[in-house]
Amino acid sequence: MPKPPRTGGDGIAEGKGSVRQTSTARTGNIGDETTGLMEKVVRRENLLEAHRRVVKNGGAPGVDGMTVHELWGYCREHWSRHREELLGGTYQPQPVRKVEIPKPGGKGMRTLGIPTVLDRLIQQALLQVLQPIFDPTFSDASFGFRPGRSAHGAVRRAQAYMREGRRWVVDMDLEKFFDRVNHDALMARLARRLKDKRVLGLIRRYLQAGMMEEGLATPRTQGTPQGGPLSPLLSNILLDDLDKELTRRGHRFVRYADDCNVYVKSKAAGERVLASLERFLGKVLRLSVNRDKSAVDRPWRRKFLGYSVTCHREPKLKVAPESVKRFKEKLRETFRQGRGRSLSTVMKELGRVTRGWVAYFRLAQVKGVFENLDEWIRHKLRRILWKQWKRPWTRFKELCRRGLAEARARQSAFNGRGPWWNAGASHMNQAVPTSELRRLGLMSLIDEYHRLARNC
């Protein structure tokens, strides 16, 4: 997208509606950290950065159908009015658009709430002002949705606790966390730090904005739908009380968003921790623990952020079996579409998925899974070729063309076996060697893993 202009109109950029001319006209001592926050939210530099991030993140339109690429033109025409509404405390967010996506593993559906791009812009501008206020106060054991922190840091911290001899884990799952967030409990925690009532009122209106489905908006009395830029920070603000309680009790724990693992030295200790945390969450944060998904167990029988570990005294990180299964399911759709396309096209699409997957799991210290997946992918690609050749005589000619002796090619082409068996047979391995697949653009997962592991 071209760089937004710096002049003209009533938009975010300079002009007669410029924030610079009115930023001190409203209430607030802007030098105070938590008063005059709305002036900081609508400051020109903050809005331009928010616009850049919203456009970069992309995403589907909200209920009004406006795309991220139409946002700049809309703001040039209408931003002056919205700015006055924000500064006056009267801005009313639009309902979010309800979208349901399958949960990982296909167990149920996850509900997302997609705000309009204008509301995403305002939420992002809020986030940029509020994050520096709250983030420094968060626990060192909190890794989700925080600047300079990542899932990799959480996984490494968990491994360190296991190395200390804490070989039992309280794997705690909060039941429908984003759907069950209590608005009053969250607003009380925001009000501890924020004094600008316009910001507090705006956040509450975002929490209560209806969810649109089939043209009808349903009001919300609890929950903070996933999909808006502000939701991750709000979840961290609410769950910070859990972090502080765990720290006060002296526990070793790691939390990434609503995934929280507490590492202890015995099963009995773990059962006590889980029961006490269940009481704390219900009484203080008004949240409930999903007992069906929560457990006190050995870490190597559980997964955390897609990883698991070996049962050695020095536990090694490995890709959890569930993560491998989900990865294969994701690739199967590409393979299903491959029959009518060239292998090089299929491999380009595979590369877009496999490269990111290997980058995420580059911390794994058990590398056999990458070798097994390489073999499975090659098998799938040879199966595509076998099916593309369709008839026995076509297969016979292709095998001969690729160097097989005529007698062996005829026997292989007319053997009556299915595509999967033939794709793994020696005649297809000889006719379509790995070097040929590499030449066509196949990325080796194990080679990519070694390359990334060297740079870790």
Coordinates of all heavy atoms in Angstrom, one line a residue, residues 244-323:
K244 N 0.1 -13.4 39.8 CA 0.5 -12.8 41.0 C 0.3 -13.8 42.2 O 1.1 -13.9 43.1 CB -0.1 -11.5 41.3 CG 0.2 -10.4 40.3 CD 1.6 -9.9 40.4 CE 1.9 -8.6 39.6 NZ 1.7 -8.7 38.2
E245 N -0.9 -14.5 42.1 CA -1.2 -15.4 43.2 C -0.3 -16.6 43.1 O 0.2 -17.1 44.2 CB -2.7 -15.9 43.0 CG -3.1 -16.9 44.0 CD -3.2 -16.4 45.4 OE1 -3.1 -15.2 45.6 OE2 -3.3 -17.2 46.4
L246 N 0.1 -17.1 41.9 CA 1.0 -18.2 41.8 C 2.4 -17.8 42.3 O 3.1 -18.6 42.9 CB 1.0 -18.7 40.3 CG -0.2 -19.5 39.8 CD1 -0.2 -19.6 38.3 CD2 -0.3 -20.8 40.5
T247 N 2.8 -16.6 42.0 CA 4.1 -16.1 42.4 C 4.1 -16.0 43.9 O 5.1 -16.4 44.6 CB 4.4 -14.8 41.8 OG1 4.4 -14.9 40.3 CG2 5.8 -14.2 42.2
R248 N 3.0 -15.5 44.5 CA 3.0 -15.3 46.0 C 3.1 -16.7 46.7 O 3.7 -16.8 47.7 CB 1.6 -14.7 46.3 CG 1.5 -14.3 47.8 CD 0.1 -13.8 48.1 NE -0.9 -14.8 48.0 CZ -1.2 -15.8 48.9 NH1 -0.5 -15.8 50.0 NH2 -2.1 -16.7 48.7
R249 N 2.6 -17.7 46.0 CA 2.6 -19.0 46.6 C 4.0 -19.7 46.4 O 4.2 -20.8 46.9 CB 1.5 -19.9 46.1 CG 0.1 -19.4 46.4 CD -0.9 -20.4 45.9 NE -2.3 -19.9 46.1 CZ -3.4 -20.6 45.7 NH1 -3.3 -21.8 45.2 NH2 -4.6 -20.1 45.9
G250 N 4.8 -19.1 45.6 CA 6.1 -19.7 45.3 C 6.1 -20.8 44.3 O 7.1 -21.6 44.2
H251 N 5.1 -20.9 43.4 CA 5.1 -21.9 42.4 C 5.9 -21.6 41.2 O 6.2 -20.4 40.9 CB 3.6 -22.1 41.9 CG 2.7 -22.7 42.9 ND1 3.1 -23.9 43.6 CD2 1.5 -22.3 43.5 CE1 2.1 -24.2 44.4 NE2 1.2 -23.3 44.4
R252 N 6.4 -22.6 40.5 CA 7.1 -22.5 39.2 C 6.0 -22.7 38.1 O 5.5 -23.8 38.0 CB 8.2 -23.5 39.0 CG 9.2 -23.4 40.2 CD 10.1 -22.1 40.0 NE 11.2 -22.1 41.0 CZ 11.1 -21.6 42.2 NH1 10.0 -21.1 42.7 NH2 12.2 -21.7 43.0
F253 N 5.8 -21.7 37.3 CA 4.7 -21.8 36.3 C 5.1 -21.0 35.0 O 5.9 -20.2 35.0 CB 3.4 -21.3 36.9 CG 3.3 -19.8 37.1 CD1 2.7 -19.0 36.1 CD2 3.9 -19.2 38.2 CE1 2.7 -17.6 36.3 CE2 3.9 -17.8 38.3 CZ 3.3 -17.0 37.4
V254 N 4.3 -21.4 34.0 CA 4.5 -20.7 32.7 C 3.1 -20.5 32.2 O 2.2 -21.4 32.2 CB 5.3 -21.5 31.7 CG1 5.4 -20.7 30.4 CG2 6.6 -21.9 32.2
R255 N 2.8 -19.2 31.7 CA 1.5 -19.0 31.2 C 1.6 -18.3 29.8 O 2.4 -17.4 29.6 CB 0.6 -18.0 32.1 CG -0.8 -17.8 31.5 CD -1.6 -17.0 32.5 NE -1.1 -15.6 32.6 CZ -1.4 -14.7 31.7 NH1 -2.0 -14.9 30.6 NH2 -0.9 -13.4 31.9
Y256 N 0.9 -18.8 28.8 CA 0.8 -18.2 27.5 C -0.7 -18.0 27.2 O -1.4 -19.0 26.9 CB 1.5 -19.1 26.4 CG 1.6 -18.4 25.1 CD1 2.8 -17.8 24.8 CD2 0.6 -18.3 24.2 CE1 3.0 -17.1 23.6 CE2 0.7 -17.7 23.0 CZ 1.9 -17.1 22.7 OH 2.1 -16.4 21.5
A257 N -1.2 -16.8 27.3 CA -2.6 -16.5 27.1 C -3.3 -17.3 28.2 O -3.0 -17.2 29.4 CB -3.1 -16.7 25.7
D258 N -4.3 -18.1 27.8 CA -5.1 -18.9 28.8 C -4.5 -20.3 29.0 O -5.1 -21.1 29.7 CB -6.6 -18.9 28.4 CG -6.8 -19.5 27.0 OD1 -5.9 -19.4 26.2 OD2 -7.8 -20.1 26.8
D259 N -3.4 -20.6 28.4 CA -2.7 -21.9 28.7 C -1.7 -21.7 29.8 O -0.7 -20.9 29.7 CB -1.9 -22.3 27.4 CG -2.8 -22.8 26.3 OD1 -3.9 -23.2 26.7 OD2 -2.4 -22.8 25.2
C260 N -2.0 -22.4 30.9 CA -1.2 -22.2 32.1 C -0.7 -23.6 32.7 O -1.5 -24.4 32.9 CB -1.9 -21.5 33.2 SG -1.0 -21.1 34.7
N261 N 0.6 -23.7 32.8 CA 1.2 -25.0 33.3 C 1.9 -24.6 34.6 O 2.8 -23.7 34.6 CB 2.1 -25.6 32.3 CG 1.4 -26.4 31.3 OD1 0.2 -26.4 31.2 ND2 2.2 -27.1 30.5
V262 N 1.7 -25.4 35.7 CA 2.4 -25.2 36.9 C 3.2 -26.5 37.1 O 2.6 -27.6 37.1 CB 1.4 -25.0 38.1 CG1 2.2 -24.8 39.4 CG2 0.5 -23.9 37.8
Y263 N 4.5 -26.4 37.4 CA 5.4 -27.5 37.5 C 5.7 -27.8 39.0 O 6.2 -26.9 39.7 CB 6.7 -27.3 36.7 CG 6.3 -27.2 35.2 CD1 6.0 -26.0 34.6 CD2 6.3 -28.4 34.5 CE1 5.6 -26.0 33.3 CE2 5.9 -28.3 33.1 CZ 5.6 -27.1 32.6 OH 5.3 -27.0 31.2
V264 N 5.4 -29.1 39.4 CA 5.6 -29.5 40.8 C 6.4 -30.8 40.9 O 6.7 -31.4 39.8 CB 4.2 -29.6 41.5 CG1 3.5 -28.3 41.6 CG2 3.4 -30.7 40.8
K265 N 6.7 -31.2 42.1 CA 7.6 -32.4 42.3 C 6.8 -33.7 42.6 O 7.4 -34.7 42.7 CB 8.6 -32.1 43.4 CG 9.6 -31.0 43.0 CD 10.7 -30.9 44.0 CE 11.7 -29.9 43.6 NZ 12.8 -29.7 44.6
S266 N 5.5 -33.6 42.8 CA 4.8 -34.8 43.1 C 3.3 -34.7 42.6 O 2.8 -33.6 42.5 CB 4.8 -35.1 44.6 OG 4.0 -34.2 45.3
K267 N 2.7 -35.8 42.4 CA 1.3 -35.8 42.0 C 0.4 -35.2 43.1 O -0.5 -34.5 42.8 CB 0.9 -37.2 41.6 CG -0.6 -37.3 41.1 CD -0.9 -38.7 40.6 CE -2.3 -38.7 40.0 NZ -2.7 -40.1 39.6
A268 N 0.7 -35.6 44.3 CA -0.2 -35.1 45.4 C -0.1 -33.5 45.5 O -1.1 -32.9 45.7 CB 0.3 -35.7 46.7
A269 N 1.1 -33.0 45.3 CA 1.2 -31.5 45.3 C 0.5 -30.9 44.1 O -0.2 -29.9 44.3 CB 2.7 -31.1 45.2
G270 N 0.5 -31.6 43.0 CA -0.2 -31.1 41.8 C -1.7 -31.1 42.0 O -2.4 -30.1 41.6
E271 N -2.3 -32.1 42.7 CA -3.7 -32.2 42.9 C -4.1 -31.1 43.9 O -5.2 -30.5 43.7 CB -4.1 -33.6 43.5 CG -3.8 -34.8 42.6 CD -4.9 -34.8 41.5 OE1 -5.8 -34.0 41.4 OE2 -4.8 -35.8 40.6
R272 N -3.3 -30.8 44.9 CA -3.6 -29.7 45.8 C -3.6 -28.4 45.1 O -4.5 -27.5 45.3 CB -2.6 -29.7 47.0 CG -2.8 -30.8 48.0 CD -2.0 -30.5 49.2 NE -0.6 -30.4 49.0 CZ 0.3 -31.4 49.0 NH1 -0.1 -32.6 49.2 NH2 1.6 -31.2 48.8
V273 N -2.6 -28.2 44.2 CA -2.5 -26.9 43.5 C -3.7 -26.7 42.6 O -4.3 -25.6 42.5 CB -1.2 -26.9 42.6 CG1 -1.2 -25.7 41.7 CG2 0.0 -26.8 43.6
L274 N -4.1 -27.8 41.8 CA -5.2 -27.6 40.9 C -6.5 -27.3 41.7 O -7.3 -26.4 41.3 CB -5.4 -28.9 40.1 CG -6.5 -28.9 39.1 CD1 -6.4 -27.8 38.1 CD2 -6.6 -30.3 38.4
A275 N -6.7 -28.0 42.8 CA -8.0 -27.7 43.6 C -8.0 -26.3 44.1 O -9.0 -25.6 44.1 CB -8.1 -28.7 44.7
S276 N -6.9 -25.8 44.6 CA -6.8 -24.5 45.2 C -7.0 -23.4 44.1 O -7.6 -22.4 44.3 CB -5.5 -24.3 46.0 OG -4.4 -24.3 45.2
L277 N -6.4 -23.7 43.0 CA -6.5 -22.7 41.9 C -7.9 -22.6 41.3 O -8.4 -21.6 40.9 CB -5.5 -23.0 40.7 CG -4.0 -22.8 41.0 CD1 -3.2 -23.2 39.8 CD2 -3.8 -21.3 41.4
E278 N -8.6 -23.8 41.3 CA -10.0 -23.8 40.9 C -10.8 -22.9 41.8 O -11.7 -22.2 41.3 CB -10.5 -25.2 40.9 CG -11.8 -25.4 40.2 CD -12.2 -26.9 40.0 OE1 -11.6 -27.7 40.7 OE2 -13.1 -27.2 39.3
R279 N -10.6 -23.0 43.1 CA -11.3 -22.1 44.0 C -11.0 -20.7 43.8 O -11.9 -19.8 43.8 CB -11.0 -22.6 45.5 CG -11.6 -23.9 45.9 CD -11.5 -24.1 47.4 NE -10.1 -24.2 47.8 CZ -9.4 -25.3 47.9 NH1 -9.9 -26.4 47.5 NH2 -8.1 -25.2 48.4
F280 N -9.7 -20.4 43.6 CA -9.2 -19.0 43.5 C -9.9 -18.4 42.2 O -10.4 -17.2 42.2 CB -7.7 -18.9 43.4 CG -7.2 -17.6 43.0 CD1 -7.0 -16.6 43.9 CD2 -6.8 -17.3 41.7 CE1 -6.5 -15.3 43.6 CE2 -6.4 -16.1 41.3 CZ -6.2 -15.1 42.3
L281 N -9.8 -19.1 41.1 CA -10.3 -18.6 39.8 C -11.8 -18.3 39.9 O -12.3 -17.3 39.4 CB -10.0 -19.5 38.7 CG -8.6 -19.6 38.3 CD1 -8.3 -20.8 37.4 CD2 -8.2 -18.3 37.5
G282 N -12.6 -19.2 40.6 CA -14.0 -19.0 40.7 C -14.4 -17.9 41.6 O -15.3 -17.1 41.2
K283 N -13.7 -17.7 42.7 CA -14.0 -16.7 43.6 C -13.5 -15.3 43.2 O -14.3 -14.3 43.3 CB -13.4 -17.0 45.0 CG -13.8 -16.1 46.1 CD -13.2 -16.5 47.4 CE -13.5 -15.5 48.5 NZ -12.9 -15.9 49.8
V284 N -12.3 -15.2 42.7 CA -11.7 -13.9 42.5 C -11.9 -13.4 41.0 O -12.3 -12.3 40.8 CB -10.2 -14.0 42.8 CG1 -9.5 -12.6 42.5 CG2 -10.0 -14.3 44.3
L285 N -11.7 -14.3 40.1 CA -11.8 -13.9 38.6 C -13.1 -14.4 38.0 O -13.3 -14.0 36.8 CB -10.6 -14.5 37.9 CG -9.2 -14.0 38.3 CD1 -8.1 -14.5 37.5 CD2 -9.2 -12.5 38.4
R286 N -13.9 -15.1 38.7 CA -15.2 -15.6 38.2 C -15.0 -16.4 36.9 O -15.7 -16.3 35.9 CB -16.2 -14.5 37.9 CG -16.4 -13.6 39.2 CD -17.4 -12.5 38.9 NE -17.3 -11.5 40.0 CZ -18.0 -10.4 40.0 NH1 -18.9 -10.2 39.0 NH2 -17.9 -9.5 41.0
L287 N -14.0 -17.2 36.9 CA -13.7 -18.1 35.8 C -13.7 -19.6 36.3 O -13.5 -19.8 37.5 CB -12.3 -17.9 35.2 CG -12.1 -16.5 34.6 CD1 -10.6 -16.3 34.3 CD2 -12.9 -16.3 33.3
S288 N -13.9 -20.5 35.4 CA -14.0 -21.9 35.8 C -13.0 -22.7 35.1 O -12.6 -22.4 33.9 CB -15.4 -22.5 35.5 OG -15.7 -22.3 34.2
V289 N -12.5 -23.8 35.7 CA -11.5 -24.7 35.1 C -12.3 -25.8 34.5 O -13.2 -26.4 35.0 CB -10.6 -25.3 36.2 CG1 -9.7 -26.4 35.7 CG2 -9.7 -24.1 36.9
N290 N -11.8 -26.2 33.2 CA -12.4 -27.3 32.5 C -11.7 -28.6 33.0 O -10.6 -28.9 32.6 CB -12.2 -27.1 31.0 CG -12.9 -28.2 30.2 OD1 -13.1 -29.3 30.6 ND2 -13.3 -27.8 29.0
R291 N -12.4 -29.3 33.8 CA -11.8 -30.5 34.4 C -11.6 -31.6 33.4 O -10.7 -32.5 33.6 CB -12.7 -31.0 35.6 CG -12.5 -30.3 36.9 CD -11.2 -30.8 37.5 NE -11.0 -30.3 38.9 CZ -10.0 -30.8 39.7 NH1 -9.2 -31.8 39.3 NH2 -9.9 -30.3 40.9
D292 N -12.3 -31.6 32.3 CA -12.2 -32.7 31.3 C -10.8 -32.5 30.6 O -10.2 -33.5 30.2 CB -13.3 -32.6 30.3 CG -14.6 -33.1 30.9 OD1 -14.6 -33.8 31.9 OD2 -15.7 -32.6 30.4
K293 N -10.4 -31.2 30.4 CA -9.2 -31.0 29.7 C -8.0 -30.7 30.6 O -6.8 -30.7 30.2 CB -9.4 -29.8 28.7 CG -10.4 -30.1 27.6 CD -10.5 -28.9 26.7 CE -11.4 -29.2 25.5 NZ -11.6 -28.0 24.6
S294 N -8.2 -30.4 31.9 CA -7.2 -30.2 32.8 C -6.7 -31.5 33.5 O -7.5 -32.4 33.6 CB -7.6 -29.2 33.9 OG -8.0 -28.0 33.4
A295 N -5.5 -31.5 33.9 CA -5.0 -32.8 34.5 C -3.7 -32.5 35.3 O -3.0 -31.5 35.0 CB -4.7 -33.8 33.4
V296 N -3.4 -33.4 36.2 CA -2.1 -33.5 36.9 C -1.4 -34.7 36.3 O -1.9 -35.8 36.5 CB -2.2 -33.5 38.4 CG1 -0.9 -33.7 39.0 CG2 -3.0 -32.3 38.9
D297 N -0.4 -34.5 35.6 CA 0.2 -35.7 34.8 C 1.7 -35.4 34.6 O 2.2 -34.4 34.9 CB -0.5 -35.8 33.5 CG -0.5 -37.2 32.9 OD1 0.3 -38.0 33.4 OD2 -1.3 -37.5 32.0
R298 N 2.3 -36.4 34.0 CA 3.7 -36.3 33.6 C 3.8 -35.4 32.4 O 2.9 -35.5 31.5 CB 4.3 -37.7 33.3 CG 4.4 -38.6 34.5 CD 5.4 -38.2 35.5 NE 5.7 -39.2 36.4 CZ 6.6 -39.1 37.4 NH1 7.2 -37.9 37.6 NH2 6.8 -40.1 38.2
P299 N 4.8 -34.5 32.3 CA 4.9 -33.6 31.2 C 5.0 -34.3 29.8 O 4.5 -33.8 28.8 CB 6.1 -32.8 31.5 CG 6.3 -32.9 32.9 CD 5.8 -34.3 33.3
W300 N 5.6 -35.5 29.8 CA 5.8 -36.2 28.5 C 4.5 -36.8 28.0 O 4.4 -37.3 26.9 CB 6.9 -37.2 28.6 CG 6.8 -38.1 29.7 CD1 6.2 -39.3 29.8 CD2 7.5 -37.9 31.0 NE1 6.3 -39.9 31.1 CE2 7.2 -39.1 31.8 CE3 8.3 -36.9 31.6 CZ2 7.6 -39.2 33.1 CZ3 8.7 -37.1 32.8 CH2 8.4 -38.2 33.6
R301 N 3.4 -36.8 28.9 CA 2.1 -37.3 28.4 C 1.2 -36.1 28.1 O 0.0 -36.3 27.8 CB 1.5 -38.2 29.5 CG 2.2 -39.5 29.7 CD 1.4 -40.5 30.3 NE 1.2 -40.3 31.8 CZ 1.9 -40.9 32.7 NH1 2.8 -41.8 32.4 NH2 1.7 -40.6 34.0
R302 N 1.7 -34.9 28.2 CA 0.9 -33.7 27.8 C 1.6 -32.9 26.7 O 2.8 -33.2 26.4 CB 0.7 -32.8 29.1 CG 0.2 -33.5 30.3 CD -1.2 -34.1 30.1 NE -2.2 -33.0 30.0 CZ -3.5 -33.2 29.9 NH1 -4.0 -34.4 29.8 NH2 -4.3 -32.2 29.8
K303 N 0.9 -31.9 26.2 CA 1.6 -31.0 25.3 C 1.4 -29.6 25.8 O 0.4 -29.3 26.4 CB 1.0 -31.2 23.9 CG -0.4 -30.8 23.7 CD -0.9 -31.0 22.2 CE -2.4 -30.7 22.1 NZ -2.7 -29.2 22.3
F304 N 2.3 -28.8 25.4 CA 2.3 -27.3 25.7 C 2.7 -26.5 24.5 O 3.8 -26.7 24.1 CB 3.2 -27.1 27.0 CG 3.1 -25.6 27.4 CD1 1.9 -25.0 27.7 CD2 4.3 -24.9 27.6 CE1 1.9 -23.7 28.1 CE2 4.3 -23.6 28.0 CZ 3.1 -23.0 28.3
L305 N 1.8 -25.8 24.0 CA 2.1 -24.9 22.8 C 2.6 -25.7 21.7 O 3.5 -25.3 20.9 CB 3.0 -23.8 23.2 CG 2.6 -22.9 24.3 CD1 3.6 -21.8 24.6 CD2 1.3 -22.2 23.9
G306 N 2.1 -26.9 21.5 CA 2.4 -27.8 20.4 C 3.6 -28.7 20.6 O 3.9 -29.6 19.8
Y307 N 4.4 -28.5 21.7 CA 5.5 -29.3 22.0 C 5.2 -30.3 23.1 O 4.3 -30.1 23.9 CB 6.7 -28.4 22.6 CG 7.4 -27.6 21.5 CD1 7.0 -26.4 21.0 CD2 8.6 -28.1 21.0 CE1 7.7 -25.7 20.1 CE2 9.3 -27.4 20.0 CZ 8.9 -26.2 19.6 OH 9.6 -25.5 18.6
S308 N 6.0 -31.3 23.2 CA 6.0 -32.2 24.3 C 7.5 -32.5 24.7 O 8.4 -31.8 24.1 CB 5.3 -33.5 23.9 OG 5.2 -34.4 25.1
V309 N 7.8 -33.4 25.6 CA 9.2 -33.7 26.0 C 9.4 -35.2 26.1 O 8.4 -36.0 26.1 CB 9.5 -33.1 27.3 CG1 9.5 -31.5 27.2 CG2 8.6 -33.5 28.4
T310 N 10.6 -35.6 26.1 CA 10.9 -37.0 26.4 C 10.9 -37.2 27.9 O 10.9 -36.3 28.7 CB 12.3 -37.4 25.8 OG1 13.3 -36.6 26.5 CG2 12.4 -37.1 24.3
C311 N 11.0 -38.5 28.3 CA 10.9 -38.8 29.8 C 12.3 -38.9 30.4 O 12.4 -39.4 31.5 CB 10.1 -40.1 30.0 SG 10.8 -41.5 29.2
H312 N 13.3 -38.4 29.7 CA 14.7 -38.5 30.3 C 14.8 -37.5 31.5 O 14.1 -36.6 31.6 CB 15.7 -38.2 29.2 CG 15.7 -39.1 28.0 ND1 15.1 -38.7 26.8 CD2 16.1 -40.3 27.9 CE1 15.2 -39.7 26.0 NE2 15.8 -40.7 26.6
R313 N 15.9 -37.8 32.3 CA 16.2 -36.9 33.4 C 16.5 -35.5 32.8 O 16.2 -34.5 33.5 CB 17.3 -37.4 34.2 CG 17.0 -38.5 35.2 CD 16.1 -38.0 36.3 NE 15.5 -39.1 37.1 CZ 14.6 -38.9 38.0 NH1 14.1 -37.7 38.2 NH2 14.2 -39.9 38.7
E314 N 17.1 -35.5 31.7 CA 17.3 -34.2 31.0 C 16.3 -34.2 29.8 O 16.7 -34.7 28.7 CB 18.8 -34.1 30.4 CG 19.8 -33.8 31.5 CD 19.7 -32.3 32.0 OE1 19.4 -31.5 31.2 OE2 19.9 -32.1 33.2
P315 N 15.1 -33.7 30.1 CA 14.1 -33.8 29.0 C 14.4 -33.1 27.8 O 14.9 -32.0 27.8 CB 12.9 -33.2 29.7 CG 13.4 -32.3 30.8 CD 14.7 -32.9 31.2
K316 N 14.2 -33.7 26.7 CA 14.4 -33.1 25.3 C 13.1 -32.7 24.7 O 12.1 -33.5 24.8 CB 15.1 -34.1 24.4 CG 16.5 -34.5 24.9 CD 17.2 -35.4 23.9 CE 18.6 -35.7 24.3 NZ 19.2 -36.7 23.3
L317 N 13.1 -31.6 24.1 CA 11.8 -31.1 23.5 C 11.6 -31.9 22.2 O 12.5 -32.2 21.5 CB 12.0 -29.6 23.1 CG 12.1 -28.6 24.3 CD1 12.4 -27.2 23.7 CD2 10.8 -28.6 25.1
K318 N 10.3 -32.2 22.0 CA 9.9 -32.8 20.7 C 8.6 -32.3 20.2 O 7.8 -31.7 21.0 CB 9.8 -34.3 20.9 CG 8.7 -34.8 21.9 CD 8.7 -36.3 21.9 CE 7.5 -36.8 22.7 NZ 7.4 -38.3 22.8
V319 N 8.2 -32.5 19.0 CA 7.0 -32.1 18.5 C 5.9 -33.1 19.0 O 6.0 -34.3 18.9 CB 7.0 -32.1 16.9 CG1 5.6 -31.6 16.4 CG2 8.1 -31.3 16.4
A320 N 4.8 -32.5 19.6 CA 3.8 -33.4 20.1 C 3.1 -34.1 19.0 O 2.9 -33.6 17.9 CB 2.8 -32.5 20.9
P321 N 2.7 -35.4 19.3 CA 2.0 -36.2 18.2 C 0.8 -35.5 17.7 O 0.5 -35.6 16.5 CB 1.7 -37.5 19.0 CG 2.7 -37.6 20.1 CD 2.9 -36.2 20.5
E322 N 0.0 -34.8 18.5 CA -1.2 -34.1 18.1 C -0.8 -33.0 17.0 O -1.6 -32.7 16.1 CB -1.9 -33.4 19.2 CG -2.4 -34.4 20.2 CD -1.5 -34.7 21.4 OE1 -0.2 -34.6 21.2 OE2 -1.9 -35.0 22.5
S323 N 0.4 -32.4 17.2 CA 0.8 -31.3 16.3 C 1.2 -31.9 14.9 O 0.9 -31.3 13.9 CB 2.0 -30.6 16.9 OG 1.7 -30.0 18.1

